[in-house]
């Protein structure tokens, strides 16, 4: 029932917004990537509007592009039926994430914690609205939810090297979908090892090694592919310095709304022509050089930009994307609703933390995960979409803290489950 309710809500929003089975003029990189993979047998640059460069690309991870290519092979590229299948998949993935959020929170804090977390995840607009995109966001949301649940299960059972090897394999496969959570992998591996008394030092080393081995096995084929084509070691995707440049380019301070229209190849004809001329690898390298120069020229500017992006990430505002004279409050009604939800959610986290019981046991590990997850975006550039994959962890943390508040206030709460 929980899955069906969440799925119905997500699909209903897509239908009500008129986006089901349709694609936007923006966020088309995976459409191009899936089409290129289907036509040419390799991932070519998703930033080129015309396939003038058939050299392999390392800009996107392979997982979702391969899934899109499979759907396109059956139903056609960017057709209504293909888009409908991809949208239904997004709705199902986001709805199933709610179930895993419930299971994780219930195992850690009991039934009340589970239901609080599930309700928050079910109605969270960042877990609903992005189902309309042909993008890996919804599948990553599900992947993060499953990863958290696996970590909870591993911590509650006898710790075996084989189980942690499998966990590492899963972490590697998740990275091939999207590597954004990788920065929190150390906490996700260590948490079940040290939970409830933990393991001996020798056993902990073996379990960590097993996880790392599994992760390396999963990413090895794609890593070797990238090294073969680009003669350098790349962790899953090679566009990091482009992201850094978008966060420190001249438009990033005081004119954030023009970052993409001035600097992004799919939205600027001049940049598109330059990319087609020099190739993706050299283009990303040039972006990196410009980013390093901008940071060296004014390190304090970078500090200010990071601070503004941190506010945007946690409050859902648009200060880093506002034009001069704008307030930073989103203009669109839907986005204002998202901002309001994220503001309330973040405020609830802070208030419940201040009331006590927010950093003991599993809570400190969950806090560490969501803070680490946010760092890469605050250091580069922020969109509200980037907040979505970390929301399952936020929901579980709110469930635990909310349940603890109910217990302190004398309200009945379900007993802690051993699962």
């Amino acid at each position: 029932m929980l899955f069906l309710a969440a799925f119905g809500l997500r699909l209903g929003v897509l239908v009500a917004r008129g986006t089901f089975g349709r694609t936007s003029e923006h966020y088309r990189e995976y459409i191009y990537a899936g089409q290129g993979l289907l036509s040419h047998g390799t991932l070519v640059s998703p930033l080129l509007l015309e396939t003038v460069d058939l050299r392999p690309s390392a800009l996107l991870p392979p997982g979702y592009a391969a899934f899109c290519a499979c759907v396109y092979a059956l139903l056609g590229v960017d057709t209504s039926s293909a888009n409908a299948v991809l949208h239904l998949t997004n709705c199902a993935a986001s709805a199933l994430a709610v179930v895993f959020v419930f299971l994780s929170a219930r195992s850690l804090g009991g039934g009340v914690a589970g239901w609080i977390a599930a309700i928050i995840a079910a109605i969270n607009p960042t877990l609903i609205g992005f189902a309309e995109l042909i993008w890996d966001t919804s599948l990553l949301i599900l992947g993060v939810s499953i990863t958290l649940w696996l970590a909870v299960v591993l911590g509650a059972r006898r710790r075996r090297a084989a189980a942690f090897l499998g966990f590492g394999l899963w972490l590697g496969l998740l990275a091939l979908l999207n590597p954004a959570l990788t920065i929190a992998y150390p906490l996700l591996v260590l948490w079940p090892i040290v939970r409830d008394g933990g393991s001996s030092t020798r056993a902990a080393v073996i379990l960590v090694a097993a996880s790392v081995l599994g992760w390396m096995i999963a990413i090895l084929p794609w890593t070797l592919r990238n090294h073969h084509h680009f003669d350098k070691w790349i962790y899953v995707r090679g566009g990091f310095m482009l992201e850094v440049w978008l966060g420190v380019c001249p438009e990033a301070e005081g004119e954030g709304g023009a970052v993409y229209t001035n600097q992004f190849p799919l939205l600027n004809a001049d940049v598109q022509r330059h990319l087609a001329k020099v190739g993706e690898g050299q283009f990303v390298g040039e972006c990196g050089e410009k980013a390093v120069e901008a940071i060296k020229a004014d390190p304090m500017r970078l500090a200010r930009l990071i601070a503004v992006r941190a506010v945007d990430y946690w409050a859902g505002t648009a200060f880093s994307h506002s034009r001069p004279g704008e307030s930073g409050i989103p203009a669109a009604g839907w986005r204002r609703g998202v901002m309001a939800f994220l503001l309330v959610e973040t405020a609830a986290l802070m208030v419940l933390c201040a009331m006590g019981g927010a950093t003991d046991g599993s809570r400190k590990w969950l806090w560490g995960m969501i803070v680490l997850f946010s760092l890469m975006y605050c250091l580069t550039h922020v969109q509200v979409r980037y907040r979505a994959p970390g929301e399952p962890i936020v929901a579980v943390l709110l469930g635990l803290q909310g349940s603890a508040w109910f217990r302190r206030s004398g309200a009945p709460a379900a007993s802690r489950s051993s699962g």
Side-chain angles (χ1 to χ4, degrees):
M1 288 299 295
L2 186 59
F3 168 79
L4 292 176
F7 178 81
L9 177 60
R10 283 145 176 76
L11 182 58
V13 169
L14 261 66
V15 172
R17 287 167 59 89
T19 55
F20 180 67
R22 301 172 60 184
T23 54
S24 167
E25 60 179 314
H26 304 303
Y27 297 103
R28 301 185 64 82
E29 288 94 316
Y30 272 111
I31 298 175
Y32 301 146
Q35 181 181 22
L37 183 58
L38 183 62
S39 301
H40 309 293
T42 188
L43 284 180
V44 296
S45 179
L47 299 183
L48 287 169
L49 292 174
E50 297 181 4
T51 310
V52 294
D53 186 350
L54 298 182
R55 287 176 293 184
S57 168
L59 205 61
L60 291 177
Y64 192 67
F67 177 65
C68 289
C70 291
V71 174
Y72 292 158
L74 296 173
L75 301 173
V77 176
D78 201 16
T79 61
S80 296
S81 55
N83 295 334
V85 168
L86 293 170
H87 285 158
L88 288 171
T89 301
N90 288 346
C91 291
S94 180
L96 190 57
V98 176
V99 176
F100 282 101
V101 164
F102 171 78
L103 294 174
S104 296
R106 186 183 65 176
S107 295
L108 293 171
V112 170
W115 282 109
I116 292 174
I119 291 171
I120 291 170
I123 65 173
N124 189 322
T126 67
L127 303 189
I128 298 173
F130 295 117
E132 69 185 31
L133 299 181
I134 307 303
W135 207 267
D136 59 37
T137 303
S138 294
L139 289 178
L140 180 59
I141 289 167
L142 174 59
V144 172
S145 304
I146 294 174
T147 302
L148 186 61
W149 175 73
L150 288 173
V152 170
V153 171
L154 284 175
R157 297 180 178 177
R158 183 177 178 183
R159 298 163 179 85
R160 296 178 179 272
F164 278 80
L165 176 68
F167 188 47
L169 284 167
W170 167 259
L171 293 177
L173 293 174
L174 182 62
L176 295 177
L177 173 68
N178 189 310
L181 189 65
T182 303
I183 192 172
Y185 280 5
L187 296 185
L188 283 160
V189 171
L190 290 173
W191 177 36
I193 292 175
V194 304
R195 183 180 161 197
D196 297 333
S199 308
S200 66
T201 301
R202 179 177 179 276
V205 170
I206 292 174
L207 297 177
V208 169
S211 298
V212 172
L213 177 60
W215 165 75
M216 292 179 65
I217 291 172
I219 67 170
L220 182 61
W222 185 250
T223 303
L224 292 176
R225 175 261 190 192
N226 285 339
H227 188 271
H228 172 73
H229 288 301
F230 309 108
D231 199 27
K232 59 181 179 179
W233 298 109
I234 298 172
Y235 180 61
V236 183
R237 57 185 303 180
F240 177 71
M241 292 312 297
L242 171 59
E243 308 293 332
V244 175
W245 170 239
L246 293 176
V248 298
C249 63
E251 297 83 2
E253 187 174 35
E255 201 179 1
V259 167
Y260 283 90
T261 55
N262 288 1
Q263 301 291 342
F264 196 60
L266 292 178
L267 297 177
N268 187 286
D270 291 335
V271 180
Q272 175 72 201
R273 283 191 290 271
H274 179 66
L275 169 63
K277 178 181 179 181
V278 303
E280 181 187 286
Q282 183 174 331
F283 174 76
V284 173
E286 292 174 355
C287 289
E289 292 172 1
K290 291 186 291 186
V292 171
E293 290 175 2
I295 293 170
K296 286 182 177 180
D298 192 351
M300 289 306 300
R301 175 177 178 266
L302 175 63
R304 292 193 301 271
L305 289 170
I306 291 173
V308 171
R309 289 194 285 262
V311 172
D312 278 350
Y313 184 92
W314 291 105
T317 50
F319 290 108
S320 63
H321 289 79
S322 297
R323 297 187 183 276
E326 292 181 345
S327 65
I329 297 176
W334 171 261
R335 270 290 283 115
R336 288 191 179 190
V338 174
M339 183 193 72
F341 182 92
L342 294 179
L343 275 170
V344 170
E345 186 182 60
T346 299
L349 276 173
M350 300 305 171
V351 169
L352 289 171
C353 176
M355 292 173 64
T359 57
D360 63 312
S362 298
R363 295 173 179 86
K364 63 183 179 182
W365 292 94
L366 297 173
W367 268 109
M369 292 171 201
I370 60 175
V371 170
L372 280 176
F373 182 78
S374 72
L375 281 182
M376 294 307 297
Y377 299 120
C378 296
L379 291 172
T380 54
H381 65 105
V382 168
Q383 297 180 24
V384 69
R385 175 172 59 87
Y386 299 161
R387 172 93 180 242
E391 288 298 282
I393 303 174
V394 173
V396 171
L397 182 56
L398 277 171
L400 295 179
Q401 294 189 138
S403 177
W405 180 82
F406 276 116
R407 286 195 295 270
R408 288 196 301 270
S409 65
S415 61
R416 177 187 173 109
S417 169
S418 62

